[in-house]
Amino acid sequence: ASLNGGDGVDRGSFRITDSGGNSAVVQVPQGGDYTVGELVDLINTRGLSIRARVNDEGNGILIEDHGLKASAIRIEEVNGSTARDLGLLGQAEAAGEHLNGSFVRNIDIGIETIAATTRLNDLHGGDGVRLASGMEDLRITGRDGEVYQLNLDNVHTLGQFIDLLHTTTDGQVTAKIGEDGTGLVLTDHSGGEGSLQVSSINGSQAATDLGLTAAAAGDTLTGTALTEQVTLNQLAQRINDAGIGVRASIINTGSGDAPYRLSIQSQQTGRRSAFMLDDGGLGLDVQTMSTARNAVAFYGSPDSPSAIPITSSSNTLRNAIPGTTIDLKAASSQPVTVSIERDQGKVVEEVSKFVESFNKVLETFNEYDYYDAENQQRGLLLGDSAILRARSSMQRLINQRHSDVSSRYQTLSQVGVRIGEGGKLQLDEDRLRQALETDRNAVVELFTLRKTETDSATGETTVVQSGAGAALDTLLGRLTDANGLFQRRIDTLDTQMRNNDRTIKAMEGRLEAKRRRMEAQFNAMEKVLAGLQDQQQAIASIQPLQMPGKK
């Protein structure tokens, strides 16, 4: 009860799926002073390959993976917002990783720092320091007018550069890494009255690449940053990308040389919106602009001991008076009278949307299941059993009596909704308004009645009583879920297509064999014909024989 700014944790249920794919539902007991330790013990009794405990930091529940590590541990809501309130909603970063429900989130804003071991070639994103090979690269002029030249050919790290500078100037000019870890700081110890200066020579770009071109202030020259710096916009984007329940933005105050400010606001409301920010030593001057708190209104006179305080995490009171939503516009020390009237038009509008949505489904069916006798055209799914069954089931539901409804209206036709021309729904608004005037609650019950039971072992929820809306929702589930009518029909068509593919391949194989056989027969006939032609030519070449003495 003390978590989330005192708003506590929703006493609902959530499902845990371990890395082996096994699932179980955890139902948080209702009522009583329930503790985090008791919840941890309850999670550990669900028979999964996980272990729950309070994390090492003491700021959340840790779900450890002790299973097959084939997939990431996953936690999802079953009823209510329990998993979200515990910081456990979602899944581990990868298979084999633990799921940490810590209420603390760290954001790496990516500020790079330098050290004595930082290599010159790694600076500026790997572009390094541009030198004049074989020649001096830097000229340093001390405040006493002494000039020093440095050759950086054999200098590979910032530490070596610092040592070379100290040696070359005999300690008159020294260097170190700045306190923010982003650049170099040079100090002149000569005691002169001139200015400390650094410049590149011989075509080298060393002064620029080492960030030493700025003007010295007295005996100190503070170099510019050698690493990429994070801007306010980049910082805000990284906070938002972390997905930790706050939203960062940049505001312009319009004053001073640096008018831009980083604003971080919780995405929750009321006491739950409270959060703490540790800037990690960045030195941000953080100010709290508003305090997380719930709105409070009194039902009754505020100076009366019988007045009832009503709290809300937002400036909206929902169902403080059943069926109403009250927006709190401003604080008031005087009682405010709220007049409530029934908005029948809103109900008519919602029922009209229901009719339109129902008819859109039927129109989709008709796009594929039709026959145009005049043009001899047919739909792609003309006569398909799934389409026929779905259309028939939906229309039959509209006409049926919903006996679970105990009030006076048990059919949709009694409130003006009926099947009209072409099998589409039609709404008689006058009849619906009359029914609302006669018994509004009965109309609402007809459309919205839905009572369920949840199996504590499996987490499966079953509808045990339903009105027209819940009955239609159940029907649509049977038509469209993973094992529904349409998916089974799709599976059947896929099977038929695969069988047809196999049949086509088999026929192609037989045709190929027959083609080869016929080609062989054709070649044999060609050879026989060629032989006959050769014999014919041989016979034709024989001259007629002549007997001696005869012509």
Side-chain angles (χ1 to χ4, degrees):
S2 63
L3 297 179
N4 295 308
D7 281 349
V9 173
D10 180 43
R11 302 294 183 94
S13 58
F14 56 91
R15 178 181 291 105
I16 303 178
T17 302
D18 65 21
S19 61
N22 303 305
S23 298
V25 173
V26 178
Q27 172 67 59
V28 181
Q30 302 291 324
D33 188 12
Y34 203 68
T35 67
V36 171
E38 290 173 315
L39 176 60
V40 166
D41 292 340
L42 177 63
I43 294 174
N44 288 331
T45 63
R46 306 315 297 163
L48 298 176
S49 299
I50 54 103
R51 175 177 175 265
R53 65 178 178 87
V54 175
N55 63 24
D56 295 337
E57 297 78 16
N59 55 36
I61 295 176
L62 180 69
I63 308 295
E64 297 178 337
D65 186 357
H66 291 274
L68 298 176
K69 298 178 173 57
S71 59
I73 298 173
R74 184 175 70 255
I75 296 183
E76 54 194 334
E77 304 284 13
V78 172
N79 183 24
S81 59
T82 311
R84 185 200 67 188
D85 294 346
L86 290 168
L88 291 172
L89 184 63
Q91 66 180 33
E93 293 184 359
E97 296 290 332
H98 303 326
L99 177 58
N100 195 343
S102 171
F103 286 95
V104 176
R105 297 292 186 270
N106 295 319
I107 302 173
D108 181 7
I109 61 175
I111 294 182
E112 298 181 6
T113 58
I114 58 175
T117 56
T118 300
R119 296 182 60 83
L120 300 189
N121 288 339
D122 293 335
L123 296 176
H124 305 293
D127 290 338
V129 177
R130 294 165 289 179
L131 305 178
S133 179
M135 306 175 68
E136 282 72 19
D137 299 284
L138 288 177
R139 177 185 291 118
I140 299 176
T141 304
R143 297 189 68 188
D144 59 357
E146 192 72 26
V147 176
Y148 311 95
Q149 294 186 358
L150 279 67
N151 185 321
L152 305 184
D153 282 351
N154 295 318
V155 173
H156 304 293
T157 67
L158 290 177
Q160 291 174 343
F161 168 75
I162 292 172
D163 292 341
L164 177 64
L165 177 63
H166 185 275
T167 301
T168 303
T169 65
D170 196 22
Q172 294 301 302
V173 180
T174 60
K176 66 177 182 177
I177 306 296
E179 292 183 359
D180 61 0
T182 63
L184 295 170
V185 176
L186 272 59
T187 304
D188 188 307
H189 302 279
S190 67
E193 299 297 328
S195 61
L196 175 62
Q197 298 179 4
V198 179
S199 60
S200 299
I201 56 177
N202 299 320
S204 171
Q205 299 294 322
T208 300
D209 293 341
L210 289 172
L212 298 176
T213 57
D219 58 4
T220 302
L221 188 156
T222 302
T224 55
L226 300 180
T227 60
E228 180 182 357
Q229 298 305 293
V230 178
T231 66
L232 276 182
N233 281 324
Q234 291 172 327
L235 177 57
Q237 187 62 49
R238 292 175 189 181
I239 293 174
N240 294 335
D241 291 343
I244 57 176
V246 298
R247 188 71 184 171
S249 59
I250 306 300
I251 59 175
N252 185 352
T253 64
S255 60
D257 295 331
Y260 298 101
R261 299 289 183 269
L262 177 69
S263 173
I264 304 176
Q265 183 175 5
S266 174
Q267 292 180 297
Q268 299 193 58
T269 57
R271 288 188 297 180
R272 287 175 180 249
S273 66
F275 66 92
M276 293 182 291
L277 173 65
D278 181 349
D279 68 6
L282 293 177
L284 301 180
D285 183 13
V286 179
Q287 298 178 357
T288 300
M289 305 301 294
S290 62
T291 303
R293 58 186 179 183
N294 287 344
V296 181
F298 286 90
Y299 185 74
S301 177
D303 56 358
S304 170
S306 61
I308 302 173
I310 302 173
T311 62
S312 173
S313 60
S314 67
N315 289 333
T316 300
L317 304 180
R318 292 183 174 85
N319 291 320
I321 301 173
T324 66
T325 298
I326 301 175
D327 292 328
L328 305 177
K329 299 297 185 181
S332 173
S333 59
Q334 300 298 320
V336 175
T337 301
V338 179
S339 299
I340 301 173
E341 297 180 356
R342 285 178 171 173
D343 185 1
Q344 309 291 38
K346 184 66 175 178
V347 178
V348 174
E349 179 184 345
E350 293 300 321
V351 175
S352 179
K353 291 179 181 178
F354 162 73
V355 170
E356 292 176 3
S357 299
F358 189 95
N359 288 336
K360 285 182 180 179
V361 176
L362 295 182
E363 290 172 1
T364 302
F365 289 163
N366 293 336
E367 288 180 11
Y368 297 96
D369 181 25
Y370 72 91
Y371 180 72
D372 184 349
E374 182 178 351
N375 297 313
Q376 297 294 305
Q377 294 180 343
R378 54 180 292 163
L380 186 62
L381 297 175
L382 176 63
D384 184 86
S385 60
I387 297 291
L388 295 176
R389 287 178 58 186
R391 181 191 287 117
S392 175
S393 297
M394 292 178 63
Q395 293 176 337
R396 185 167 59 251
L397 183 142
I398 297 300
N399 291 325
Q400 76 180 46
R401 180 176 295 278
H402 300 279
S403 56
D404 290 342
V405 179
S406 60
S407 54
R408 69 172 66 197
Y409 302 128
Q410 295 184 329
T411 66
L412 291 176
S413 61
Q414 291 176 311
V415 296
V417 180
R418 63 182 182 85
I419 301 292
E421 184 179 353
K424 291 187 176 183
L425 283 193
Q426 292 182 346
L427 174 61
D428 185 340
E429 291 191 7
D430 292 337
R431 186 164 187 174
L432 176 57
R433 291 180 184 277
Q434 183 179 357
L436 288 169
E437 291 294 338
T438 302
D439 193 341
R440 177 190 174 91
N441 291 334
V443 176
V444 171
E445 185 180 12
L446 173 61
F447 281 98
T448 64
L449 175 64
R450 179 188 177 91
K451 292 185 178 180
T452 62
E453 290 182 354
T454 301
D455 189 320
S456 59
T458 64
E460 296 295 329
T461 300
T462 305
V463 178
V464 294
Q465 289 186 335
S466 62
L472 180 58
D473 184 60
T474 301
L475 171 61
L476 293 178
R478 293 201 301 268
L479 294 177
T480 62
D481 64 19
N483 296 313
L485 173 64
F486 289 136
Q487 187 58 52
R488 294 198 303 272
R489 182 60 178 147
I490 290 172
D491 293 342
T492 299
L493 291 174
D494 285 342
T495 300
Q496 291 176 351
M497 290 174 63
R498 288 193 296 270
N499 290 338
N500 289 340
D501 287 341
R502 285 194 291 267
T503 300
I504 291 172
K505 289 181 180 179
M507 293 180 65
E508 288 176 344
R510 290 197 295 270
L511 287 171
E512 178 63 21
K514 187 172 183 178
R515 183 186 65 80
R516 290 195 298 267
R517 187 170 60 253
M518 295 184 71
E519 284 181 348
Q521 292 173 349
F522 178 79
N523 290 334
M525 291 179 65
E526 283 282 303
K527 289 180 180 180
V528 171
L529 181 59
L532 292 174
Q533 290 175 343
D534 290 343
Q535 292 178 9
Q536 184 182 21
Q537 291 176 358
I539 293 172
S541 66
I542 297 176
Q543 298 296 324
L545 295 176
Q546 295 182 357
M547 297 297 293
K550 293 184 179 181
K551 295 183 179 180

